[in-house]
Amino acid sequence: MTTREVDVVVVGAGFAGIYLLHRMRQLGLSTQVFEAADGVGGTWYWNRYPGARCDAESMAYSYSFDPGLEQEWQWTERYATQPEILKYLNHVTDRFNLRRDIEFNTRVTGANYDDKTKRWSVSTDQGHKVRARFCMMATGCLSTPQNPDIAGLKNFAGPTYMTGQWPHEGVDFGGKTVGIIGTGSSAIQAIPVIAAQANHVTVFQRTPNFSVPAYNAPLDKDWVEHYKKDYPTHRDDYRQARVTSFGDLMNPDEFREVDEQMLLETPIEEVHEKLERFWQFGGARFMWAFVDTIASEEANRVVADFVRSKIRETVNDPKVADLLCPSSYPIGTKRICVDTDYYATYNRDNVVLVDIASSPLQTVTEQGLKTTAEDYGFDILVLATGFDAMTGTLSRMNITGTEGVPLNDTWAEGPKAYLGLGVNKFPNLFLITGPGSPSVLSNMIVSIEQHVDFITDMMVHMGENQYESVEPDPGAQEAWVAHVNEVANGTLFPKAGSWYMGANIPGKPRVFMPYAAGVAVYREVCDGVVAQGYQGFSFS
Ligand code: N01
């Protein structure tokens, strides 16, 4: 196959890749997108498990770059389902005529910088060889499911399904018995739905998670109309949010004030009243009722106790309730889950919770699972065991920079990227929502748009100044990584063995990967970098 020349290669056709392609087209650059799936959507293409829906509200979990698109698209529920989000992304792809530049069913297997030609050479499992001036990784933060280290997985005689690679035709649980390993966000959404269909469900829990009710509901047409009239203001609200940008702004007037209040400076009755109000409102915004929840152990304990009391109120069997109450890490330091009837599902006669922290899994058997205490049998095994987050996809892509330096060597002690956007010795390589940016701590769409816009503006700047390439300075990168760590160490985040820390993957360096200072602070930093002539980047 001959080598093609393009200006830009984009890896991935999820929210980030789609918007990138649109912006590159606007710059008049020839762009080739490679996508492993046979359709657009990224994480929303693969995660088709029962109950999959977004935990950011639909009106906020959508692009803002085109007012016409914003006005015409109609979300139907407060939290969009996976099929509806996929429909939206297909709509955007077709509306902006983007499909023709996306090569589907094609996985990138190498991205290698050539010092002589100053071009990226990108190869795929379909035998493509493409040379590009720019290489952009729109590969998502949660796109490589982890294959759990559980003995005997191949022994199981029945079907095994991973939540992150769910079959397109769906799974009929009717009349079946099911074993589910994992109790993270995916499992917490799937378990109530599977339990309502299956004969019996056994949930194998190693670590319980904190979850907040979604109170999902159909969107009221009048409310949507009212909200859409003021879309730009709402957008600004969650772009400027100090701590989060989840955009849980169903009732913006009431919830706009929330970013400032300290729990430890608030009378306890008022604290409980506010937590109750936020709990009744529903959604991840609960975590940000008080700004010190993620910084002070004392404040955090009050919020965690509140949720534990809700679990105990909901679950009838006190022993099961105890098992469901997290106690080994501060609330919020593992991603807060948002559910519909999760805890109440354990009141069903057909659901059993097995504590594999006290009696660990030994092996998967032909009929089910064996723990150190007991044997369990079931027809279907579901693995809701998570992802090699933030770096997993990049580490599997054979990326090399100047002088052939592998990205995996550069990142051997944890990911290093200036602003989470670019890496020293990897010229003209950009990461969308990479490690060191707010990414998974924010509304992903807000962060994706900001990164894509930043990169697009930088490319215009390069064109105006006839620069061929750009890469971060080593000093700026080191300083940024140190700052990201310093910010994380000022919070409680490092106290949990979370996927934010790489702790769910054996052998992965334990480094807190996202930037925890919030999207508004991060945007200010990026704007300052631009104002200083792209401070910290070297152009040539
Ligand atoms: O994965 P997870 P997830 N033996 O890593 C257990 C986003 N998301 O797919 O905690 C036994 O959170 C593991 O146990 P432990 C969201 O950002 C968003 O659920 O390691 N158990 C844990 O219980 C989320 O945070 C949405 O002790 C094993 C579970 O598997 C992120 O994706 C929906 C095991 C993995 O939980 C990841 O969520 C879904 C083993 N060997 C996901 N290995 C929404 O928008 C792992 N586990 C709503």
Side-chain angles (χ1 to χ4, degrees):
M1 198 173 273
T2 54
T3 300
R4 276 180 57 219
E5 292 270 354
V6 292
D7 295 316
V8 183
V9 160
V10 174
V11 188
F15 267 97
I18 289 171
Y19 182 45
L20 251 177
L21 174 56
H22 177 62
R23 292 305 312 267
M24 295 301 106
R25 282 250 193 95
Q26 285 177 330
L27 292 186
L29 299 175
S30 59
T31 304
Q32 176 65 64
V33 181
F34 289 117
E35 167 54 59
D38 71 2
V40 297
T43 201
W44 297 108
Y45 173 95
W46 297 104
N47 285 270
R48 298 171 187 238
Y49 59 84
R53 60 173 80 238
C54 190
D55 60 3
E57 295 190 19
S58 54
M59 295 296 287
Y61 196 78
S62 30
Y63 293 118
S64 69
F65 68 82
D66 188 279
L69 170 67
E70 256 181 352
Q71 291 300 323
E72 83 201 6
W73 183 259
Q74 301 292 339
W75 294 109
T76 61
E77 293 178 75
R78 178 177 176 185
Y79 295 97
T81 60
Q82 174 272 333
E84 193 172 32
I85 298 171
L86 198 56
K87 197 168 151 199
Y88 171 72
L89 285 171
N90 275 288
H91 169 77
V92 176
T93 305
D94 293 331
R95 189 187 196 280
F96 297 98
N97 195 18
L98 300 172
R99 217 171 281 274
R100 64 186 154 88
D101 288 332
I102 308 173
E103 197 77 49
F104 293 105
N105 297 306
T106 306
R107 187 174 287 281
V108 169
T109 51
N112 312 105
Y113 187 72
D114 182 337
D115 296 297
K116 281 199 198 108
T117 59
K118 300 201 183 312
R119 291 290 177 272
W120 282 92
S121 169
V122 177
S123 36
T124 75
D125 62 355
Q126 299 302 314
H128 299 89
K129 286 262 180 233
V130 176
R131 254 202 324 226
R133 195 173 146 215
F134 293 97
C135 187
M136 315 230 178
M137 297 300 177
T139 40
C141 296
L142 294 156
S143 45
T144 297
Q146 81 142 322
N147 281 316
D149 190 14
I150 299 171
L153 265 180
K154 289 212 174 86
N155 295 341
F156 188 57
T160 300
Y161 302 109
M162 290 187 101
T163 47
Q165 283 176 342
W166 203 257
H168 288 201
E169 62 280 12
V171 177
D172 182 4
F173 289 101
K176 304 286 189 200
T177 55
V178 186
I180 302 179
I181 303 179
T183 48
S185 291
S186 303
I188 279 177
Q189 289 188 325
I191 287 166
V193 183
I194 296 175
Q197 294 170 11
N199 253 9
H200 190 269
V201 173
T202 312
V203 178
F204 297 91
Q205 172 187 275
R206 192 163 64 183
T207 316
N209 259 295
F210 290 99
S211 188
V212 178
Y215 295 126
N216 184 45
L219 283 174
D220 176 79
K221 278 210 169 93
D222 292 342
W223 180 85
V224 170
E225 209 172 292
H226 173 72
Y227 192 95
K228 279 188 171 180
K229 278 199 185 117
D230 214 7
Y231 233 142
T233 309
H234 300 314
R235 293 286 189 193
D236 282 347
D237 275 348
Y238 44 81
R239 281 191 195 122
Q240 298 310 324
R242 207 173 107 195
V243 189
T244 179
S245 61
F246 263 64
D248 295 300
L249 297 166
M250 294 291 290
N251 184 353
D253 295 336
E254 189 177 356
F255 284 86
R256 210 167 273 162
E257 29 87 24
V258 298
D259 271 329
E260 304 299 330
Q261 198 173 1
M262 303 279 281
L263 186 146
L264 295 181
E265 291 171 3
T266 308
I268 195 67
E269 302 75 37
E270 202 184 309
V271 167
H272 284 139
E273 179 280 319
K274 189 172 183 185
L275 290 176
E276 183 63 34
R277 191 156 49 89
F278 272 55
W279 182 269
Q280 294 308 334
F281 179 74
R285 192 72 175 168
F286 173 83
M287 260 316 292
W288 310 110
F290 296 98
V291 75
D292 46 352
T293 305
I294 207 67
S296 147
E297 295 208 39
E298 199 184 334
N300 191 283
R301 203 170 307 116
V302 174
V303 179
D305 281 345
F306 179 90
V307 177
R308 285 189 280 258
S309 74
K310 289 289 182 190
I311 297 171
R312 293 201 168 93
E313 264 171 37
T314 309
V315 179
N316 297 339
D317 181 335
K319 282 193 191 135
V320 176
D322 266 352
L323 283 181
L324 288 168
C325 284
S327 59
S328 57
Y329 58 93
I331 186 169
T333 54
K334 283 183 174 224
R335 165 83 163 220
I336 191 89
C337 303
V338 178
D339 73 277
T340 298
D341 296 335
Y342 175 64
Y343 295 119
T345 295
Y346 291 94
N347 295 333
R348 296 177 65 105
D349 292 339
N350 69 336
V351 178
V352 167
L353 182 66
V354 175
D355 174 23
I356 54 169
S358 59
S359 305
L361 292 181
Q362 281 195 322
T363 185
V364 177
T365 63
E366 211 179 315
Q367 289 82 28
L369 276 176
K370 187 179 172 59
T371 70
T372 50
E374 225 174 296
D375 282 3
Y376 298 86
F378 38 79
D379 305 319
I380 297 175
L381 174 60
V382 174
L383 299 175
T385 43
F387 300 86
D388 187 350
M390 304 203 70
T391 57
T393 307
L394 297 171
S395 71
R396 285 163 176 78
M397 217 186 288
N398 177 26
I399 303 170
T400 57
T402 53
E403 297 163 14
V405 58
L407 184 69
N408 287 348
D409 285 4
T410 307
W411 286 9
E413 286 159 15
K416 295 188 167 117
Y418 181 44
L419 303 175
L421 268 165
V423 186
N424 175 248
K425 291 193 185 302
F426 293 80
N428 289 358
L429 178 88
F430 292 110
L431 314 174
I432 313 300
T433 63
S437 70
S439 62
V440 290
L441 298 180
S442 67
N443 175 334
M444 287 303 293
I445 317 308
V446 169
S447 289
I448 284 169
E449 289 193 326
Q450 189 240 341
H451 266 190
V452 172
D453 292 344
F454 182 96
I455 293 163
T456 309
D457 291 348
M458 186 189 252
M459 289 167 79
V460 171
H461 173 77
M462 289 172 75
E464 285 168 356
N465 292 283
Q466 293 170 358
Y467 295 134
E468 182 65 19
S469 67
V470 59
E471 68 178 295
D473 300 329
Q477 182 169 294
E478 285 301 317
W480 180 253
V481 172
H483 173 61
V484 170
N485 283 320
E486 192 191 333
V487 171
N489 289 335
T491 71
L492 301 174
F493 279 119
K495 292 195 178 289
S498 65
W499 59 257
Y500 295 140
M501 294 287 295
N504 63 329
I505 304 295
K508 192 165 172 173
R510 294 218 176 181
V511 178
F512 188 77
M513 293 183 280
Y515 180 52
V519 289
V521 171
Y522 179 75
R523 191 176 287 264
E524 268 168 42
V525 171
C526 290
D527 291 349
V529 163
V530 176
Q532 298 294 316
Y534 291 97
Q535 190 179 36
F537 287 98
S538 284
F539 296 93
S540 60

